[in-house]
Amino acid sequence: VSTLINAAQLYMTAKINTYGVEAEKDADHGGLILMTRSHYNPAGLISFMFRLAADERNHTYGDLGIFRTHPPGNERVASARALMTEMHLPMVLSAVDPTLLVGVSPVKAAAGVPDMAELKLQGITLCRVVGGEGLSAEQRGAKVAHKLNGLMDDRLRAYDIRPSQDKTRVMARGITLLTAADATAQNKTIEALAQDLGFAITQVSQRRQIDFNP
């Protein structure tokens, strides 16, 4: 008899929590749709879900099974992302989370070497640039940072970064990021700069933990 009672209690728990999980999914979708009709950026909801999913990955909660009352974080991310894609909404995470913006700071160089600007993202150095095109090093750094912000929002990967065919520029998806002048100032080749930037992008991607597959 006790076994039957326990089984019935577990069945009811599973049934009730299943309703809760589905309700949470509906709430996520409803919240995202409501945000599109307000002055709030719906990407903010995705950013929040990324944090939830990252927290789940960084902590061992175990498989809650029938006792789970919320969908797994990775499922919530995937579902919300799919809905934004379906609604043709841009997912610009850097617009809602300042920590995802590339920062630019001046680097005072040694005598005989041009001043440079250093670009960092989440504590990781991406690259250094010199002045050019009528811009100071910081101004040009801000210009490159703007390009990188857009590329990172579009899920830039290391394999997207490569030297141009004539080996005078470092490019990502057809966009010029670094030049021969940047390489010369650091006594490096264009290939080395591309490799360094690609490695840094990989580190950032791992730290951000934004690749959640259902």
Side-chain angles (χ1 to χ4, degrees):
V1 175
S2 61
T3 301
L4 289 175
I5 292 175
N6 288 335
Q9 289 176 335
L10 289 174
Y11 174 78
M12 288 305 298
T13 298
K15 197 73 173 175
I16 292 171
N17 287 347
T18 297
Y19 291 145
V21 169
E22 292 304 315
E24 287 291 336
K25 289 182 179 179
D26 289 342
D28 288 344
H29 279 216
L32 195 149
I33 292 171
L34 285 174
M35 290 178 78
T36 65
R37 300 174 183 176
S38 70
H39 64 280
Y40 293 105
N41 189 333
L45 183 61
I46 301 288
S47 178
F48 173 70
M49 290 177 178
F50 281 145
R51 292 173 184 274
L52 288 180
D55 181 70
E56 287 182 6
R57 292 181 63 174
N58 291 332
H59 297 83
T60 304
Y61 296 114
D63 186 359
L64 298 178
I66 64 172
F67 297 102
R68 179 180 290 280
T69 58
H70 291 68
N74 60 336
E75 289 185 12
R76 297 178 77 176
V77 169
S79 180
R81 176 183 278 157
L83 182 59
M84 287 191 71
T85 300
E86 182 182 331
M87 297 176 70
H88 305 290
L89 297 173
M91 193 171 67
V92 185
L93 294 178
S94 62
V96 295
D97 188 345
T99 67
L100 301 182
L101 288 172
V102 177
V104 181
S105 57
V107 176
K108 195 67 177 177
V113 179
D115 290 342
M116 290 182 282
E118 185 174 72
L119 281 66
K120 299 181 74 171
L121 180 56
Q122 294 187 284
I124 296 171
T125 298
L126 301 179
C127 58
R128 288 184 172 185
V129 302
V130 296
E133 306 170 2
L135 303 173
S136 67
E138 282 190 80
Q139 289 172 331
R140 184 161 165 263
K143 186 175 180 180
V144 174
H146 179 72
K147 294 178 181 179
L148 282 169
N149 285 330
L151 288 165
M152 290 301 294
D153 280 329
D154 197 27
R155 306 176 75 188
L156 179 69
R157 292 294 178 264
Y159 54 73
D160 293 317
I161 300 166
R162 60 191 65 192
S164 60
Q165 289 188 345
D166 59 6
K167 303 296 189 294
T168 61
R169 295 166 292 160
V170 173
M171 306 186 70
R173 299 177 184 171
I175 298 173
T176 297
L177 297 174
L178 305 174
T179 67
D182 301 316
T184 300
Q186 298 171 77
N187 197 28
K188 293 183 177 182
T189 64
I190 282 292
E191 291 89 342
L193 286 190
Q195 185 176 29
D196 290 347
L197 179 55
F199 179 68
I201 293 300
T202 297
Q203 287 183 297
V204 170
S205 297
Q206 291 173 344
R207 181 167 296 185
R208 288 169 68 161
Q209 296 184 333
I210 62 173
D211 289 326
F212 299 103
N213 300 311

